[in-house]
Amino acid sequence: MRRKKRKINKMRGTRSIGGGCSKKRRGAGHKGGRGNAGLSKHHWTWTVKFDPDHFGKHGFKRPPKKINKVYPVNLSYLNDKAEQLIDKGVATIEGDSIVIDVTELGYNKVLGGGKLLKSFTIKSPMFSASAENKIQEAGGEAIKI
């Protein structure tokens, strides 16, 4: 049966507020410890009922070397830095187009952000669909490595 009033309100003004001797409820001793104390000991029935997955390992974590990390670059960056890349020797000019191997710059995917003002031949393991379209519209070529 539920109380109509909370015990704390009903007992307000009394010395022990319904806890027996005034020393009884002083620390955390009356409740079996603070926090997660005793989950595998004297609070085991609580653990089984309310937190059954508390102990042990759960799930699966993929090995970090198996996760393929994507290092993307936008077309606008390649367009703006084309001359500097040619000066460094990372990019070359073949005919009318500038040939760039993106993997030499540390990237592995080309994204379609920005505009291409020149024709480029870009070599990369991955391209977004918009990047391939923009490269072909500018008269270039997208080569997957």
Side-chain angles (χ1 to χ4, degrees):
M1 182 176 145
R2 290 190 62 201
R3 293 176 180 275
K4 287 189 176 181
K5 287 188 166 186
R6 288 176 55 220
K7 188 174 184 181
I8 189 74
N9 292 337
K10 184 180 178 186
M11 308 292 271
R12 185 69 78 203
T14 62
R15 181 173 160 81
S16 59
I17 313 181
C21 177
S22 60
K23 298 177 185 177
K24 287 274 197 290
R25 295 199 284 189
R26 199 166 272 172
H30 77 285
K31 55 187 171 185
R34 290 189 170 96
N36 290 334
L39 287 185
S40 61
K41 303 285 185 179
H42 51 282
H43 289 156
W44 180 246
T45 52
W46 183 94
T47 306
V48 169
K49 185 174 181 182
F50 296 110
D51 196 7
D53 293 333
H54 183 83
F55 294 105
K57 293 183 179 180
H58 308 283
F60 176 78
K61 187 171 181 182
R62 291 184 68 199
K65 64 182 179 183
K66 293 288 183 184
I67 298 171
N68 293 330
K69 293 188 179 179
V70 177
Y71 300 103
V73 62
N74 276 317
L75 290 175
S76 60
Y77 176 81
L78 298 175
N79 188 52
D80 296 341
K81 303 286 182 177
E83 294 175 10
Q84 295 175 6
L85 295 174
I86 292 168
D87 293 339
K88 288 181 181 178
V90 178
T92 57
I93 299 174
E94 291 182 9
D96 294 339
S97 67
I98 300 170
V99 180
I100 300 175
D101 189 355
V102 174
T103 55
E104 292 179 15
L105 299 172
Y107 303 108
N108 62 4
K109 185 170 185 177
V110 179
L111 302 178
K115 295 180 181 178
L116 286 180
L117 304 176
K118 306 167 192 169
S119 66
F120 284 87
T121 301
I122 300 175
K123 299 176 183 178
S124 175
M126 293 181 279
F127 290 92
S128 68
S130 60
E132 285 186 13
N133 293 337
K134 287 184 180 181
I135 292 168
Q136 291 170 358
E137 286 173 6
E141 190 177 3
I143 301 171
K144 288 188 179 178
I145 300 174

